[in-house]
Amino acid sequence: MKSISIYAVTRNQNIGQLQKLERQLSGREYFLKMRTWELESMKSLVRELEAHMDEVYALRFFYSFQIPRLGKEFDLLQIKDEQIVNIELKSGAVSDETIRKQLIQNRYYLSVLGRPIYSYTYISSQNRLVRLTNHDHIVEADWQQLCGLLKNKSADYGGEIEDLFQAEMYLISPLTEPLKFLRKEYFLTSQQRDIKRQILKRIRTEHTGYYSFSGLPGTGKTLLLYDIAMKLSGRQMVCIIHCGASGQEWKRLHERLRRIVWVSDSQITAEMRLDEYETVLVDEAHLLDKETLENIVKAAGKRPVIFTSDCEDQLSPEEVDQSVKLGIAKLPEIQTFRLTNRIRTNEEISSFVQNMMHIPDYKSGRRFPHVTMFYANDDQEAANLIQDAKKQGYQHLLESEVAEKAYDSVAIILDGNYFYDSKKYLRSKKRTVRNLFHQLNSAKEKLMLIVKDNEPFYAMLLGLL
C-alpha cells in the first residue's frame, strides 16, 4: 500500500467514488470501507492545515494502514527519511488517558523504524489538537509546530508500507527472548487480547473452570499463556506446567519471575497436589500422555486450569495419540479457543508444510519461492549439500532434535524411510513424523529439504512445488 494525498480524498464526492479513488491511489488490494465520521474528521483536519500552511495538497500520508496479521491500525502516517508523524482522528470527545494509551502503543509499533516519532490526535468535534510528549504526557498542541514537522524537507518514503512492518518484529518468545518478555516489550494481536479478556473475566467471576487454546506453531500460544500468567500472578501464586525437553531454559526464565512457579510434566505424579497455587497453566499439552493429564486435573482440583496445544490436524491420525486431545475436550464446561493468525512463521512456508504433511486433493497453484529442494543419491552427496546450506546460514536440524525454538532458515535431510500412505498422509517406516512437523514449522524465512535416495517421495514433493 502506498501513501496518498489526503487533500485529494477529502474533496466533495460520494463515498462510493471515494472508495474507488482511495484504492486507485493507494494500490490497496481491497476496497477500504470508509467511515463517514472519519472522513468528516479528516476534512476538518485538512481545513485546519490549510489555515496554517501552504501546499497541503502536496502532503502524503499512509491512510488507515493495518500491520498485517497483527490487527494494529493507524489512521494517518507520514513517513519520511528523518522522522515519522502519526495523527489519529477522533470525532467525539475522548479522555486524555485513552488518547495517551493509544499514542504510546502506536509509538512502540513505529519505533522499529528507528526514526524520531511525533504523535498527535485530532478531535474534530472540539477542533482540538493534542500531542504526546517525550515524558508520555498529553498536552495541547500547536498547529504551527505540526505544520513545521509535516513540511520537513527530507524525502517521503515512496515504497509499499507493508515492507517496513513485519509482524514477527513485535511478537516475541518468552523462552528465546526472556529479557524482552520481562520488560514487557511485546504486544498481543487483537485475537490474543480477546481470548485473554474472555478467560480472565470468567476466572475472576467463577474462580474455577477449564480453558484451552490451540493453534498451529507460530500463532503465539506460549506468549499468550505467559502473558495471562503474568496478569494473574499480580495477586496470586500460579503454576505453569511445561511439557517438553527445554526444562533448563524455562527454569532460567522462571528464576526471574515472581509468584510464577515452573513445573515439568515429568514431575507430575498421582500423589501430587497443587494446593498452594490459585491457577494452573499447562503449556504444550499435546505432548502429555493420558495418565499425566488425569493427574494434573486431579491435582488442580477446582482451580482454574488453562491448556495450550499445537494443532496437529495435518498429521495422520495414526501418528498422534488422540486420547489427550479428547480428554481435554471432554473436561466439564471447558471453554475452547483457536488461534488462527500465524505470526512468527512465514505464511508461505506454513502452507507448504501443511500440504506436505497431507497432500491436498486439489492443486492450489500457489508458488513457494522460499522453499528449496535438492536430491542426494547417498550420504556423501547429502553431506555436501548440507555443508553448502550451513554456509548460506541455514540451521541443520537432525531427525533426533526436538524443535523448541524458531530459526530464520532451516535445512533437513529426509531419508528413504519417508512415504505417503493411501490417504496421502506423510509417514515414515522407522519413526513418527510428529517431530518433523514441528521442525519444519520452526523455519521463519527459508526452508531447505534434501531428499536422500528416495525418488518416489522426491517426485511427490516436487509436485507440491
Side-chain angles (χ1 to χ4, degrees):
M1 189 181 96
K2 295 185 178 297
S3 59
I4 65 172
S5 164
I6 61 171
Y7 178 89
V9 296
T10 53
R11 301 308 91 193
N12 286 331
Q13 51 194 296
N14 66 53
I15 288 285
Q17 291 172 329
L18 275 176
Q19 290 180 164
K20 292 178 181 178
L21 174 65
E22 193 281 333
R23 185 178 181 187
Q24 187 269 326
L25 292 174
S26 68
R28 199 186 298 268
E29 293 182 355
Y30 56 90
F31 285 105
L32 177 66
K33 187 175 182 180
M34 301 180 78
R35 295 163 289 195
T36 302
W37 71 263
E38 189 172 75
L39 182 59
E40 292 303 317
S41 293
M42 192 155 57
K43 286 181 177 179
S44 180
L45 172 68
V46 169
R47 286 194 294 269
E48 282 297 326
L49 293 175
E50 287 183 301
H52 293 89
M53 68 178 285
D54 299 325
E55 300 182 354
V56 173
Y57 54 81
L59 297 176
R60 295 291 184 272
F61 290 88
F62 292 96
Y63 168 50
S64 193
F65 166 65
Q66 189 172 95
I67 300 177
R69 295 181 284 162
L70 283 189
K72 175 58 191 171
E73 187 176 358
F74 303 88
D75 288 342
L76 294 171
L77 287 176
Q78 185 199 60
I79 301 178
K80 289 180 172 287
D81 289 345
E82 296 179 358
Q83 65 180 35
I84 299 171
V85 177
N86 171 215
I87 304 175
E88 293 298 313
L89 301 172
K90 308 292 181 188
S91 59
V94 183
S95 72
D96 283 5
E97 182 58 22
T98 299
I99 292 171
R100 176 179 170 274
K101 286 181 178 179
Q102 182 184 32
L103 293 182
I104 288 175
Q105 188 182 75
N106 287 6
R107 187 176 62 191
Y108 169 80
Y109 281 102
L110 296 169
S111 65
V112 298
L113 300 184
R115 305 168 204 185
I117 300 162
Y118 302 95
S119 307
Y120 289 83
T121 295
Y122 176 62
I123 306 101
S124 58
S125 61
Q126 302 172 327
N127 194 27
R128 184 186 180 210
L129 182 71
V130 298
R131 66 180 177 88
L132 181 70
T133 70
N134 292 334
H135 299 291
D136 295 346
H137 299 305
I138 294 298
V139 297
E140 301 301 317
D142 179 77
W143 283 100
Q144 293 291 353
Q145 184 185 42
L146 172 60
C147 291
L149 291 169
L150 296 176
K151 290 191 291 185
N152 183 294
K153 296 297 183 182
S154 67
D156 285 297
Y157 172 69
E160 303 280 346
I161 190 171
E162 289 83 359
D163 294 339
L164 297 177
F165 296 90
Q166 302 297 322
E168 49 268 26
M169 296 176 181
Y170 304 99
L171 296 183
I172 58 95
S173 166
L175 175 59
T176 58
E177 299 170 281
L179 292 180
K180 283 189 175 183
F181 174 75
L182 292 167
R183 293 195 296 259
K184 298 186 178 180
E185 294 178 0
Y186 64 89
F187 280 99
L188 302 181
T189 67
S190 54
Q191 185 184 37
Q192 288 172 315
R193 292 196 300 271
D194 183 57
I195 292 172
K196 173 183 174 180
R197 178 186 58 78
Q198 292 188 59
I199 290 176
L200 291 179
K201 181 180 179 181
R202 185 177 163 198
I203 287 177
R204 287 164 179 162
T205 303
E206 302 178 14
H207 307 288
T208 189
Y210 297 105
Y211 312 84
S212 171
F213 48 89
S214 63
L216 289 167
T219 47
K221 300 180 295 296
T222 298
L223 176 62
L224 174 57
L225 187 77
Y226 269 77
D227 183 78
I228 292 173
M230 288 286 276
K231 189 70 175 178
L232 291 170
S233 68
R235 297 183 178 180
Q236 58 184 246
M237 290 288 292
V238 301
C239 173
I240 293 185
I241 299 172
H242 187 77
C243 311
S246 60
Q248 293 305 315
E249 291 182 86
W250 283 116
K251 280 185 177 180
R252 282 195 288 271
L253 170 63
H254 278 261
E255 287 171 358
R256 307 283 296 275
L257 298 176
R258 296 180 60 196
R259 291 190 288 274
I260 299 178
V261 176
W262 180 93
V263 175
S264 169
D265 61 327
S266 62
Q267 298 174 256
I268 303 297
T269 65
E271 295 74 32
M272 190 172 191
R273 292 292 177 268
L274 299 169
D275 297 337
E276 64 266 45
Y277 308 110
E278 295 296 322
T279 307
V280 177
L281 303 94
V282 185
D283 193 26
E284 298 188 287
H286 58 281
L287 298 178
L288 291 171
D289 57 48
K290 185 179 179 182
E291 181 181 353
T292 305
L293 172 63
E294 292 173 350
N295 289 339
I296 290 172
V297 172
K298 179 182 176 183
K302 294 184 178 180
R303 294 167 184 78
V305 184
I306 306 172
F307 299 93
T308 78
S309 58
D310 279 353
C311 175
E312 299 178 321
D313 294 344
Q314 291 78 23
L315 301 180
S316 167
E318 298 176 36
E319 293 276 350
V320 181
D321 182 1
Q322 298 290 326
S323 61
V324 172
K325 180 180 178 180
L326 294 173
I328 292 174
K330 290 179 180 179
L331 290 170
E333 297 184 32
I334 187 168
Q335 193 170 2
T336 61
F337 305 90
R338 176 72 178 268
L339 284 160
T340 57
N341 296 328
R342 300 300 298 272
I343 305 301
R344 284 184 296 275
T345 304
N346 185 305
E347 186 180 353
E348 168 206 325
I349 293 177
S350 172
S351 176
F352 175 81
V353 171
Q354 292 179 64
N355 289 345
M356 178 179 167
M357 290 293 123
H358 188 199
I359 301 287
D361 293 327
Y362 58 89
K363 283 258 185 185
S364 68
R366 178 166 189 168
R367 299 184 65 81
F368 303 99
H370 294 89
V371 179
T372 305
M373 193 179 309
F374 296 114
Y375 189 77
N377 290 282
D378 51 40
D379 289 341
Q380 185 58 57
E381 290 181 5
N384 290 341
L385 291 168
I386 278 293
Q387 192 62 30
D388 185 51
K390 289 179 178 178
K391 290 180 179 178
Q392 297 177 54
Y394 282 84
Q395 175 71 32
H396 175 210
L397 296 182
L398 302 173
E399 289 176 334
S400 58
E401 283 187 73
V402 177
E404 297 194 307
K405 61 177 69 174
Y407 304 94
D408 289 339
S409 304
V410 169
I412 299 175
I413 296 176
L414 303 169
D415 63 21
N417 290 301
Y418 290 98
F419 68 97
Y420 283 98
D421 65 17
S422 60
K423 295 181 180 178
K424 298 183 180 179
Y425 281 105
L426 178 62
R427 306 293 300 281
S428 173
K429 299 172 187 175
K430 288 192 174 181
R431 62 187 70 86
T432 175
V433 302
R434 189 184 201 181
N435 190 54
L436 174 64
F437 172 68
H438 293 285
Q439 286 182 331
L440 296 170
N441 274 302
S442 69
K444 294 195 295 184
E445 296 178 7
K446 290 192 263 183
L447 176 64
M448 180 184 293
L449 302 177
I450 299 171
V451 180
K452 184 181 70 174
D453 192 24
N454 192 342
E455 288 194 23
F457 179 51
Y458 180 60
M460 292 292 283
L461 294 185
L462 279 180
L464 286 178
L465 288 179

